[in-house]
Amino acid sequence: MAINRLASALRTLGVLTGSLAANSAFAGWGELNMTRGVTPISQQQYDLHMIVFWICVAIGIVVFGAIIYSVINHRRSQGAEAAQFHENTTVEVLWTVVPIVILVAVAIPATSTLLSLEDTSDADMTVQITGYQWKWKYDYLGEDLSFFSNLSQESRDGIKADPYAVENYLLDVDKPLVLPVKKKVRFVMTSADVIHAWWVPELGVKQDTIPGFINDSWAYIEEPGVYRGQCAELCGKDHGFMPIVVIAKTEPEYNQWVADQKAAAAAAAASADREWSKQELMAKGEEVYNSACASCHQANGQGIPGVFPGMVGSSYTTGPVEDHIDIVVNGKPGTAMQAFGEQLTAAEVAAVVTYERNAWGIDTGDVIQPTAIAANK
Amino acid sequence: MSTVATAHADEHHGAPKGITRWLFSTNHKDIGTMYLWFAFTMFLIGGAMAMVIRAELFAPGLQVVDPQFFNMMTTMHGLIMVFGAIMPAFVGLANWMIPMMIGAPDMALPRMNNWSFWILPVAGTMLVSTMFMEGGGPAFGWTFYAPLSTTFAPASTDFFIFSIHLLGFSSIMGAINVIVTILNMRAPGMNLMKMPMFVWTWLITAFLLIAVMPVLAGAVTMMLTDRHFGTSFFDAAGGGDPVMFQHIFWFFGHPEVYIMILPAFGIISHIIPTFSRKPLFGYSSMVYATASIAFLSFIVWAHHMFTVGMPVAGELYFMYATIMIAVPTGVKVFNWVATMWKGSLSFEIPMLWALAFVILFTIGGFSGLMLGVAPVDTQYHDTYFVVAHFHYVLVTGALFSIIAGVYFWLPKWTGHMYNLKLATFHFWWSVIWVNVLFFPQHFIGLAGMPRRIPDYATQFADWNMISSIGGFAFGLGQLLFLYIVVSTIRGGEKASTEVWDGSDGLEWTVPSPAPFHTFATAPEVR
């Protein structure tokens, strides 16, 4: 009887917690443990995590149980007389040897997981991941396909407004990394500036991207879906604002996506050939400025004194146009100023340079056409 | 006759008056006091920064500070707590207690003692002043990984580098003093294996300090030359390697974390036997375990770097070596439990803190073992799980042991017993809120929240809010500690020479408050 009642109580509790988890306002309370993920590696990691966790719980019960027993039964207020023993070789050997045995038992599965985690051989395809302050670049090696992935504008707008109004706040990007399922995908990683770390919990991949060096890792995604992650190594001001989104698709859908991307890239290249109006350039320029430049130079063009120079009062925005285009396209080595030539299309560079020379009261009146950039790039 | 006259004159030679008593002090008790007040001041400054951090993380979105300032807060909080609060507090306790525990009249090198203290306020002020310079202070994490701390760092970084150099000088001189004192000035009859545990743990800690502070000095010097003199130690474009910075840093950094916990082990090994009225279980295994932990601390550093892309053989080695630390650490915990077993326990304030230490430090040890398992560390690394882990070992570990030590020795220092009601309240308040503060950080870390971010996805909101509430309450409670200590210095019930009925050791044979000079004649230890 008692068991029945307990079982029904547990069921009720399960329904309750389930409904709590379903209610988005309470979703956070259920976030207690590591995700099991969608790759063989992430699942092995989860299993190992739980094994070590339960070992710790067991040891904790013994140790804390002994403390609680002493605290209750060996207290002076209960009239306990202190024994005077202060060593016992048998016990001391035992509690040295038993932990060693437990550790060896943990080390065996840990070793095999580590070896498979590090085995990047025989991959079906390779994606190069490059960390930038504060965005990711993905190159599909051998595919002539490459793009940057930034924090989505909706998330950026939500930072100072209402984060709860934004779906996947801070975990959404403008262009996600798309990968096929059931393929061994190898990632080679590097960085253009400081050290970042590419982490997607459900893939079980976390690897530092290091300037001047190449690291690798891999994932075999078993189910289609959207998997979100973040940069996991402090990389400066906007470290918290460079999420990762991986969309896993079936192979035919993936192939279709690749074809679509190539067509879109060709269309963008074509737009560089036509003449743009100043109005068009200013509108596009503001958009580009806010996504690519504002995190350092600030939306009001003032920069952050001592860290990031402002646009207003700078010799670049009022001096010769060539120098301005040059620093945008090629960056300034040894500083946080990146070479945007590879991140932005010719039209985008033209638009942002036009914008920077005509916004915040700078008003040089200069209009830069995409064709002029294409010639310089 | 003349020797008698000199001894007589010395007895009447009390504390000098005025500011020069402190500025020119060569007295181990006064210098210990200054270390402790300096540490407490820095603790409040670093704590205020923690409050800013928790306020910003109270809810998603940016409400309180901007991201650059947030990064500066996490960086300065870490640096100030490690180099300004925990380390100087332990040196302060060492200054006060080591000479009294070994029956020595003072530290062996009293003028160097003065010098190693007075460097600290200068270095600390310089470090804090960087926050007011153009471009702000260090914002690259207390681990200051290159190239974020070299090519991409604000101009104030050079002041940071110099202050690290100064803090290193201070630590090294303090450590030399501890070693020379312990090895040369023990009372007749006190051989090494009769030394109190606090003395043993500090002796080993001092060797760790001398070994690794120069390594840290080397790391920041290389940063300095990379920044200004055209070298490329940490810049791949010039043939260097950013990962080498991390190897050098953690070769310092891992022994450093044991520098902050070994003296804690010593303090706890005094308190538990005192209030169990039973000798410490396994004294010699305690000594050997401490020495093993110190040795292992030098050969496990790269477990902080499992995601940098080391060769797999390296990762395996560092995983095996790391989880081995669980063995000597386990021995220590088991010994404390066995000391309590069949004792005659009472729960005075220091014992409450020591019990909380044993349980909560062990929880930090468990998460440490989990972090040591390299393939799973891929998921834990640089998340709030790590933040929870090191705050369990540093706050409920190192800090709790310091507070336990202060409550244990304060009556000996001041001659007064503190207000027991307030102290009991301080304990329960702290121990409850510190868990509200740090335990949920395990959850948000496992659920996927990276550390060192000023804003987060909404699914992490609930536990962050709980953690912040715990943080504010815990922080507030430490002001009560300040009040308790100050009012105990000013007055209170007179403390006896022994203070505690189970007390054992030379420090409990001198009157309370301990006179300005103690053990002018060495006591005999049998």
Side-chain angles (χ1 to χ4, degrees), chain B residues 45-353:
Chain B
I45 296 173
M49 292 169 179
M51 296 300 107
V52 174
I53 293 168
R54 284 317 320 171
E56 181 52 65
L57 294 175
F58 188 81
L62 292 177
Q63 296 89 8
V64 184
V65 292
D66 65 61
Q68 184 75 17
F69 193 85
F70 181 90
N71 289 346
M72 187 169 87
M73 286 293 103
T74 56
T75 305
M76 296 296 282
H77 166 76
L79 291 168
I80 286 176
M81 288 305 199
V82 167
F83 294 106
I86 302 291
M87 291 172 69
F90 278 128
V91 182
L93 295 176
N95 257 293
W96 252 104
M97 300 315 298
I98 288 176
M100 295 209 300
M101 283 178 168
I102 62 174
D106 205 308
M107 297 295 278
L109 308 162
R111 286 195 175 78
M112 193 164 85
N113 205 9
N114 172 295
W115 181 220
S116 56
F117 170 75
W118 278 108
I119 287 177
L120 277 184
V122 176
T125 307
M126 191 188 299
L127 183 60
V128 171
S129 73
T130 58
M131 294 197 296
F132 305 100
M133 296 178 185
E134 189 176 279
F140 31 65
W142 87 276
T143 52
F144 51 100
Y145 283 2
L148 190 60
S149 62
T150 52
T151 320
F152 296 83
S156 66
T157 305
D158 302 326
F159 289 89
F160 153 80
I161 290 172
F162 191 41
S163 79
I164 293 289
H165 274 136
L166 290 177
L167 292 165
F169 285 145
S170 164
S171 290
I172 291 170
M173 287 193 285
I176 290 172
N177 216 340
V178 165
I179 293 173
V180 177
T181 306
I182 295 174
L183 293 185
N184 291 292
M185 298 181 67
R186 294 190 312 278
M190 182 181 279
N191 62 33
L192 286 176
M193 290 310 276
K194 278 187 189 160
M195 285 196 316
M197 274 310 295
F198 182 67
V199 179
W200 251 119
T201 53
W202 242 112
L203 179 64
I204 292 169
T205 302
F207 277 106
L208 291 185
L209 277 168
I210 289 182
V212 301
M213 293 313 284
V215 177
L216 179 67
V220 293
T221 306
M222 285 188 260
M223 272 172 65
L224 187 73
T225 60
D226 266 15
R227 283 168 59 80
H228 296 295
F229 305 114
T231 58
S232 306
F233 290 110
F234 308 131
D235 180 4
D241 182 353
V243 178
M244 185 175 76
F245 174 85
Q246 298 183 27
H247 280 292
I248 297 170
F249 179 84
W250 286 114
F251 187 80
F252 146 79
H254 202 75
E256 168 69 17
V257 304
Y258 292 105
I259 286 165
M260 293 189 283
I261 203 64
L262 294 185
F265 291 163
I267 295 169
I268 301 303
S269 301
H270 283 252
I271 293 174
I272 289 181
T274 301
F275 299 100
S276 304
R277 294 166 184 81
K278 194 163 157 277
L280 182 67
F281 186 90
Y283 171 88
S284 47
S285 70
M286 280 299 211
V287 172
Y288 297 134
T290 309
S292 321
I293 293 173
F295 170 73
L296 286 171
S297 78
F298 284 109
I299 57 169
V300 295
W301 73 90
H303 67 215
H304 297 270
M305 306 162 52
F306 280 141
T307 64
V308 299
M310 264 184 290
V312 67
E315 293 186 19
L316 284 174
Y317 160 74
F318 281 109
M319 171 169 75
Y320 298 149
T322 299
I323 59 180
M324 280 306 290
I325 299 176
V327 176
T329 313
V331 166
K332 290 197 145 287
V333 173
F334 300 143
N335 281 343
W336 290 321
V337 177
T339 305
M340 286 190 275
W341 192 260
K342 298 211 166 169
S344 172
L345 274 62
S346 58
F347 303 97
E348 284 87 344
I349 309 295
M351 183 63 165
L352 291 176
W353 288 94

Side-chain angles (χ1 to χ4, degrees), chain A residues 45 49 74 76 80 82-84 86 92 95 103 111 118 159 164 169 199 201 206-208 215 232-233 236 334, chain B residues 62 71 151 277-279 282 285 307-308 315 320 323 335 342-345 375 378-382 455 461 501:
Chain A
Q45 288 168 328
H49 160 70
H74 302 147
R76 186 176 57 166
Q84 289 301 311
H86 54 82
E92 288 178 66
W95 70 39
L103 290 177
T111 302
E118 294 290 342
I159 295 171
Y164 288 99
Y169 175 64
W199 179 34
K206 183 187 285 147
Q207 189 77 62
D208 290 2
N215 274 332
E233 178 63 63
Chain B
L62 292 177
N71 289 346
T151 320
R277 294 166 184 81
K278 194 163 157 277
S285 70
T307 64
V308 299
E315 293 186 19
Y320 298 149
I323 59 180
N335 281 343
K342 298 211 166 169
S344 172
L345 274 62
T378 306
Q379 295 282 34
Y380 304 135
H381 181 80
D382 264 332
D455 192 7
D501 60 9

